[in-house]
Structures are given as C-alpha cells and as structure tokens.
Amino acid sequence: MSLTIRNAAPRGIYKGIKDNSGRAPVIEPILIPTHLPHLFIYSERGETLPQLTSGTAMVSMYGQKTFDPKGPYYNHATPFVETIGAEGNSMMIQRLVPPGANPPATLRLSVDVLPEFVPVYERDEQGKHKLDESGNKIPTGDLVEGFNLRWLVGPTIKPEDDGRILEDNDPRLLESGNERILDSRVGDGKSTVGQMTNSDGEQSTIYPIMDFEVQHFGSYGNNVGIRFSAPTTDSAISADDQTIEEQLAYLYRLQIVERDTQTFTSKTVETLFGEQTVDFSFKEGVFNPRVQKELYIDDAVLPAYSQEAAAGLPEIQAPFKRIHVYKDHLETILSMVQAKEAPHGYVPDGEENLHLVNVFGGTDWNNIPYESLIIQGPSEGGVLLSSSSTHYCTGGYDGVMNFETFDLAVRHQLTNYGDLEAKFMDMAMYPQSVLYDSGFSLETKYAFFVPMGKRKDIYPVVSTQDVSQPQNTASEEQSIAVALRSKARLYPESEVYGTPTCRALIVGHSGYLLNSNYKGLLPLTLEIAQKSARYMGAGNGIWKTREAFDMPPNNRVLKFKGVNAEWVSDNVRSINWDTGLTWVQNYDRSSLFFPGIQTVYDDDSSVLNSAINMIAAVELEKVAFRTWRDLTGISGLTPEQFMERSDQLIEEDVRDKFGDRIIVQAETFYSSYDEQRGYSWACNIHMYAPNMKTVGSFTVVAHRIEDYPG
C-alpha cells in the first residue's frame, strides 16, 4: 500500500502501530556478597577454573565424595567450604590438580576388520535367519565374500605406552624425576594391524571409530560409561524408520551412565529434557522435520546434555567434554561393506546411501541381517554394542593428594595470582574479596599476601597454625605472627598516599571442631569465616546488623574445642597487639571470645585498625569498579551531569549496605589535569566509620548511702 498522498481522492492511510511503551532492557545483576571467599579444594570432579557457586549446585559441580570426611578429597580446606556454604554465602571455588593426575578418562571404540569368505544362512520369508532347535543359525553350506568385524573398546593412549595406561593402583612411572602424565590422545588414533587372520594369511586392520573424553580429570571418570546401539523396528523403543528412509541415514542410539564405584549398579544420566537416550546419525545435515530436531552427532549428542550460562540460567556440563568421530575410517568401512552387501539386496547401492549401512549391528533398520557381514561377539574377543551392554571409560587417576601436594599447589596459585590459567586481574569475572588460610605451611602463608598486592579489593585472613604440625605454644603464636606481619608489610596499601598495609588479618589459635566428623586440627580463621559469612554473606550485599561479629554474643567462639594458648599475660597481649595478632581469651569458665578483631594496620587510632571497617573499605573499592564500568564511554552528559551521575551510582550502590555503622559520601570532581585532558575524572568516596573500642578504664567510687541522689 502506498503511503504517498498524491491528490485529494478520498481514502484512509493506515500506517500501522507505533510503540512508545518499550523500555530499555532490564538485565538482572549477578548477586555478589561483600564477603566472597576464594577457596581452594581437591575434589572428585569439576572445572579447574574458579567457579562462583554455593549449595546444591556446588555439590553437583564437584561431586558428593568431595565432602565425605572419610574420603580422599577432604582436607583442612573443606570445612571452610562447608561452613561458609552453610550460611548461604556464595564462594569462588577453585579445584586444584594434584601431581601425577592423568588427563580425563577416555574410551575408544574401534573395529577390527578382516576380509573373509563368510557362511550363508537360511532365511525365512521376511528375510530373517532361521534358527534350529538349539537357537543357532542354519548354514546353507555356501560362502560369500564379506567381512568379519570385531568391535573393541579401550582407552586412548600414547603409542609409546605400549597399550598400557596407569590406573589408581598402578605405580607411577618416573621420567627424568617427574611424574608421567599420559596424554589422552583424543582424535589422534591411527589404523593399526589387527589380531585376526583369514584363510589366505591376510591380517585384519583395526580402525579407531569414536573417541569419548570425560568432562573432567579424576578417577571418577572410570565410572562414566556408554551404551551404544543400532536400534531397529524390532527394538523395545523402535527405530525412527520414517526419518531413516527420508534422510538416507541410519539412526543410532547413545545412553550415558554413571556408577558410584566399580561395584555399584550404574544409573542413567538424563538429558536436559529428562530423556534416557539420544538418537543421532553420523551423516552431516540429518534433520527430523516433524519435530525440528538436528540429528547429526555433533548437533545432537553433547548439546542434549549441556547448557551455557546465560539469561539467568546456570551452566550445565555434559558428562563428556569431547566425542570425536573418525569420519574417514567410518566411511571407508561403510564403503567396503556396501560394496559387498549391495549385490545381495540388503543395502542400497550408491554414495548417497552410504550412511544407511549399519556396521555396528549388522542389520538394516527392519532387523534383517546382512549376508556378507559377521560381527563377532565376546566369545571371539569382541564386545557387544547394544542397549544393555555398558562400556566404561578408563585411565582416570586423581593423582597424589596429601597435605604437602595441596600446600604446594595452593602456594603456586597464590604466588602467581592472576598469571596462570585464571586471569584474576579481571575483577568482573573474578569478584572475590577474601582468601582464608586454613592451616597451610609458613611458606604458603606468606603467599597469601601476594594477591592483596595485586588487587586493592582483596584481603587475606591468615592463621598462625600449620595444621600438619602440633598446636603452637604461646611463644610460637607470637613469633609466627611477627613473621607474618613482616611479610604483610611488604604490600603497603597506597604508595600514592603513604598508607601502610591494612588489608590483612592475622588470627591466632587452633583447635578441633565441635560436632564434626572431621577430627583434624583447624585454625580459628574458620570462626572469622563463619562470622563474616553470617554478617556480610548475603547475595544482595546488605550486611545483617544483628550478626555484627564485634558485638556480643556474636564475638564468642562457637565451633571449637581444645583451643590452644587461651590465656597469656597482659604484657604478652600488648606485644601480640602490636604485631597485629587477633586472639581469643576466656569469656567465662566454659567459653572463649574475640576481645577485638584487628587488622595489621600500624595506627591504633585509625578506623582502619578495625577488621569490619577495613572490609567495608574493600567493598568500596568494588563499588568504585562497578561505578566506573557504568560510566566509561559516556559522551552525552555535561560535566555537571556526569558528576551527578557518578555520585548517584555510588550512593545507590551503598544504600542500606552497611546499616547504620558506616556513612558513605561520594565526591566526583575534575582536577585541573582532568579538565585539560577532557576524558578523565576523579572521585573521593568518603567513608565515615567508628573507631574500635578496646581499652576500658573503670573506677569503683565508694559513697555513703545517704548521699545517693535517688
């Protein structure tokens, strides 16, 4: 319809609907608590990149066995994960790789192919083999040119390993003093000489057809398996013969299973839609138009089990990271079988029909057996490919997991913070705020201070206790605290303003958990972690005023018994305070409390000597980052409007966050240099906080009763 008005001829011009109701898209922010710990663990499974997680999702991600106190993965760091998680506090969890760990477990499906004259068997009117009274096929006495096929399963291994892969109970092989870590070699399989020989002395050839690699490293991968089948119209769940005929491609079926241990019955891993199996084809472009479903293996199998994190949906990973198909090998075998079988009329000829050939089951989709193909089963050294035959991956190995290997792995991560696999300088991707020392060696404790030197929005909470050693004496507590404070002071807060180190806590004492299956020694940094999680661990970022841990009864020790050095003299306490140590002492005959939780800051008169105030300042560093990312690139505001926007963003971010404890005022401005450049600005975020009160002077004044003013 023309919208042009050419003359006064009567007509209506209908321009459609103009929409003024729309608004800018609303993107829900990811909830990040003030207290967001970065914790290291050994685990049954899971990514090695840090993951923001908590609760049920965390257990699913890293496996139930990770949190079994009697299991191999549980160590002094695990109670921190459990304790903080129990308070509903999200965490940044990082799985470490123990030395000697193999790559993820794998499975290779190969076929051993031997040209051979194969016997012909009697058939009924449907074309199926007749059976005698014993259930055996009845030979006609004739032979036809064809193939013996034997399907094989095994790991993907290096050729130089002579067909051997290290399992959990194998001795570790050493090369030049280093542990050997086997390469999974997924996709690198080559055809090799087989193990069968025909009547002419010709040997068979083994062709790798498919490689499966479990999603993560670890021995758990040895309990992930597949059931691979070529369903027919006679199967319990019938083959989709209509799609097969339309798409000229056989449809195979895969089921993924997992078992808890090698002695347990397997359970099916369901797809995202709760389905038990996935149908697929090896032919590219195969599609079921009736349900709009992709059926090519790359588009059908792993996508059925996986989901990317987007639009508020969590990431879900498939049990397998990769499934590699040796397409050339497969099509070579399909062509060989098609050439021999087409003359008998059980498979169609022509390249377009190549993927109708079923070399996995040896029948067509109507379950009519091929004439020239014999598939050898377990009695001849092959494996069954059926819906009831499970084949498990092999080669998964957790590595050496003990205090020393964990200690070294954590030290390596901290010493090289941000320079390894995880790029921790990306504050948006890695918004953690605190690192807890769960009882590492002294050298590793020193490394806990490295991250705060690289990022202004992170603080460490370091303990005096090495849990691999006996409990410290009072003098050892002090000497270790002095050493830790000395290392912390290597990372001053601000060279610009001459502010010494403040973003660190040194916490004394150790003990044993009450009402816990974990019997090992633990530092009281765990108490600080729990109290911080309760107070500052809400996902909405709002601190819970009633849980402030500088107020009774929240400053009591609730999780520990058998705490060391609970009493020292006033003189020793004074020295400990100067070293930046936070300690506990007796509250009464049956309980302990923190008389003051301080930072390592030098100036007792400063509000930065209070741990809570320091944590608030760390949160304001994150507020500054969030404000910058919402301001950068803006060009449509006047300088005054820009300053107003900046102040508004900061004030909105901190509104109600700290309760009535801390007052925050934003002051965005342009220095003379900013005005000259035109693209920069400055902002002071003023934090007004109370001093921590620790010293009380009390006088008892005696009066006569008659002088009482009441």
Side-chain angles (χ1 to χ4, degrees):
M1 178 184 70
S2 174
L3 302 181
T4 302
I5 301 175
R6 298 174 58 190
N7 54 35
R11 61 176 176 141
I13 298 177
Y14 308 101
K15 297 183 178 181
I17 300 171
K18 180 181 180 181
D19 184 10
N20 286 332
S21 66
R23 297 293 184 269
V26 176
I27 300 176
E28 290 287 336
I30 297 174
L31 297 179
I32 302 295
T34 293
H35 180 255
L36 183 61
H38 179 188
L39 301 168
F40 302 95
I41 61 170
Y42 278 156
S43 68
E44 177 190 9
R45 64 185 70 197
E47 288 283 357
T48 55
L49 279 173
Q51 301 294 312
L52 180 62
T53 185
S54 63
T56 303
M58 176 184 70
V59 176
S60 176
M61 183 179 295
Y62 294 107
Q64 290 275 2
K65 294 180 183 177
T66 299
F67 304 99
D68 178 3
K70 305 297 184 183
Y73 311 101
Y74 203 102
N75 61 24
H76 58 92
T78 318
F80 281 72
V81 176
E82 293 176 319
T83 299
I84 295 169
E87 301 298 336
N89 195 158
S90 297
M91 294 162 282
M92 191 70 74
I93 305 294
Q94 185 171 1
R95 183 192 186 195
L96 300 180
V97 181
N102 280 344
T106 58
L107 181 148
R108 173 168 291 165
L109 179 63
S110 302
V111 62
D112 196 357
V113 181
L114 178 68
E116 183 65 285
F117 284 94
V118 300
V120 177
Y121 298 97
E122 293 185 15
R123 297 178 182 261
D124 60 22
E125 62 278 2
Q126 293 180 331
K128 297 181 180 179
H129 289 143
K130 292 181 179 180
L131 304 178
D132 61 20
E133 294 178 354
S134 300
N136 297 317
K137 294 181 288 185
I138 304 170
T140 64
D142 295 329
L143 298 175
V144 297
E145 280 191 272
F147 299 94
N148 276 334
L149 263 60
R150 184 166 62 181
W151 287 98
L152 308 171
V153 295
T156 62
I157 56 175
K158 278 184 177 180
E160 58 264 37
D161 288 320
D162 298 326
R164 188 173 176 278
I165 193 160
L166 301 180
E167 300 289 357
D168 291 7
N169 57 351
D170 284 330
R172 309 304 293 165
L173 303 180
L174 300 181
E175 292 178 349
S176 304
N178 298 318
E179 298 281 0
R180 171 184 288 184
I181 299 178
L182 300 180
D183 189 347
S184 66
R185 310 298 290 178
V186 170
D188 286 352
K190 303 293 190 295
S191 60
T192 58
V193 176
Q195 301 170 356
M196 297 188 293
T197 305
N198 63 20
S199 55
D200 294 330
E202 183 180 359
Q203 279 193 282
S204 60
T205 302
I206 297 177
Y207 297 89
I209 300 301
M210 298 180 71
D211 288 346
F212 296 81
E213 182 182 37
V214 173
Q215 184 68 242
H216 306 118
F217 81 89
S219 59
Y220 91 96
N222 300 330
N223 295 314
V224 177
I226 64 165
R227 293 171 183 157
F228 184 100
S229 60
T232 70
T233 52
D234 287 346
S235 298
I237 302 177
S238 178
D240 182 1
D241 56 329
Q242 184 176 356
T243 300
I244 292 174
E245 293 188 62
E246 290 175 352
Q247 299 291 310
L248 300 179
Y250 208 102
L251 295 182
Y252 302 96
R253 186 164 293 159
L254 185 73
Q255 184 176 46
I256 301 176
V257 300
E258 188 170 344
R259 59 189 177 185
D260 289 335
T261 68
Q262 294 184 7
T263 59
F264 275 62
T265 303
S266 61
K267 60 181 179 181
T268 301
V269 179
E270 295 184 339
T271 69
L272 298 179
F273 297 99
E275 296 170 331
Q276 301 277 310
T277 60
V278 176
D279 285 1
F280 68 93
S281 171
F282 291 109
K283 181 181 177 181
E284 294 186 41
V286 175
F287 180 76
N288 184 337
R290 288 171 294 283
V291 294
Q292 298 293 296
K293 189 173 184 179
E294 299 285 351
L295 293 171
Y296 177 52
I297 183 170
D298 289 355
D299 303 320
V301 178
L302 295 186
Y305 294 91
S306 58
Q307 171 182 279
E308 292 185 5
L313 296 174
E315 180 184 16
I316 299 176
Q317 294 183 328
F320 291 104
K321 180 189 298 183
R322 287 186 287 172
I323 299 177
H324 177 83
V325 177
Y326 295 87
K327 186 175 179 181
D328 291 344
H329 291 172
L330 177 59
E331 292 187 349
T332 294
I333 297 166
L334 294 178
S335 298
M336 291 162 55
V337 173
Q338 183 187 45
K340 299 297 183 185
E341 192 64 32
H344 301 288
Y346 295 108
V347 299
D349 202 356
E351 185 178 352
E352 70 279 6
N353 296 311
L354 183 64
H355 280 277
L356 285 172
V357 180
N358 171 21
V359 295
F360 297 91
T363 71
D364 69 6
W365 61 89
N366 290 315
N367 203 26
I368 305 299
Y370 293 157
E371 189 88 321
S372 63
L373 185 62
I374 299 295
I375 297 180
Q376 298 183 345
S379 60
E380 292 87 13
V383 299
L384 289 178
L385 298 179
S386 70
S387 60
S388 59
S389 300
T390 306
H391 307 292
Y392 289 98
C393 298
T394 55
Y397 178 69
D398 290 314
V400 180
M401 294 181 292
N402 55 35
F403 178 87
E404 290 75 17
T405 62
F406 187 64
D407 193 78
L408 287 171
V410 170
R411 188 189 310 169
H412 178 66
Q413 289 290 328
L414 294 172
T415 303
N416 301 281
Y417 206 73
D419 298 327
L420 302 174
E421 181 184 19
K423 305 306 178 186
F424 288 128
M425 296 305 101
D426 187 343
M427 295 169 61
M429 183 61 68
Y430 297 109
Q432 63 266 24
S433 59
V434 57
L435 291 150
Y436 284 103
D437 167 20
S438 56
F440 293 96
S441 70
L442 187 59
E443 285 298 319
T444 300
K445 293 179 190 298
Y446 294 157
F448 270 83
F449 300 118
V450 173
M452 76 173 183
K454 294 189 173 184
R455 280 179 51 169
K456 299 297 185 184
D457 64 332
I458 287 179
Y459 64 97
V461 180
V462 182
S463 75
T464 53
Q465 182 68 52
D466 175 345
V467 297
S468 70
Q469 302 298 316
Q471 278 187 295
N472 295 334
T473 64
S475 62
E476 288 171 338
E477 289 279 320
Q478 185 182 99
S479 62
I480 293 171
V482 170
L484 291 172
R485 184 173 183 270
S486 176
K487 292 295 182 181
R489 286 174 62 83
L490 296 176
Y491 305 95
E493 176 59 29
S494 174
E495 293 86 350
V496 175
Y497 301 110
T499 309
T501 307
C502 69
R503 283 181 292 115
L505 274 67
I506 300 172
V507 180
H509 308 285
S510 61
Y512 300 88
L513 289 180
L514 291 164
N515 305 316
S516 173
N517 289 326
Y518 183 69
K519 306 305 179 185
L521 187 65
L522 287 173
L524 262 65
T525 48
L526 182 58
E527 278 283 344
I528 302 295
Q530 183 186 50
K531 295 178 187 304
S532 298
R534 287 182 175 177
Y535 184 25
M536 311 162 176
N540 60 9
I542 305 299
W543 294 12
K544 299 176 183 176
T545 302
R546 68 181 183 277
E547 300 292 349
F549 52 75
D550 61 346
M551 301 281 288
N554 300 331
N555 59 354
R556 301 274 191 94
V557 174
L558 303 176
K559 293 187 68 64
F560 282 87
K561 61 183 178 181
V563 175
N564 67 319
E566 70 273 18
W567 185 88
V568 294
S569 67
D570 286 345
N571 181 58
V572 173
R573 288 176 189 164
S574 180
I575 296 172
N576 284 344
W577 187 264
D578 285 341
T579 62
L581 183 65
T582 292
W583 68 80
V584 298
Q585 61 188 70
N586 289 314
Y587 183 84
D588 54 28
R589 290 181 58 84
S590 62
S591 62
L592 301 167
F593 80 114
F594 290 94
I597 301 177
Q598 68 163 334
T599 69
V600 297
Y601 198 57
D602 288 333
D603 186 356
D604 288 351
S605 68
S606 169
V607 297
L608 294 177
N609 195 43
S610 162
I612 290 178
N613 291 339
M614 178 273 290
I615 295 169
V618 168
E619 174 63 15
L620 292 178
E621 295 282 359
K622 295 184 181 295
V623 169
F625 168 70
R626 292 192 290 265
T627 302
W628 167 82
R629 72 186 182 190
D630 287 340
L631 288 173
T632 182
I634 291 178
S635 60
L637 300 177
T638 66
E640 292 74 20
Q641 290 172 331
F642 188 90
M643 289 190 291
E644 183 180 355
R645 172 76 65 87
S646 173
D647 291 348
Q648 180 184 17
L649 288 172
I650 293 170
E651 290 166 5
E652 287 177 353
D653 198 325
V654 301
R655 183 173 295 126
D656 300 325
K657 183 181 291 288
F658 306 117
D660 56 1
R661 175 182 289 267
I662 292 170
I663 298 171
V664 178
Q665 289 183 347
E667 179 195 0
T668 305
F669 62 94
Y670 298 99
S671 69
S672 58
Y673 297 108
D674 294 325
E675 292 176 348
Q676 179 69 22
R677 286 187 289 258
Y679 54 79
S680 62
W681 74 97
C683 181
N684 292 327
I685 302 178
H686 298 279
M687 182 183 94
Y688 299 88
N691 279 88
M692 178 171 57
K693 307 297 190 293
T694 56
V695 179
S697 297
F698 302 90
T699 302
V700 178
V701 181
H703 298 271
R704 290 186 177 186
I705 189 69
E706 57 267 27
D707 294 335
Y708 180 62

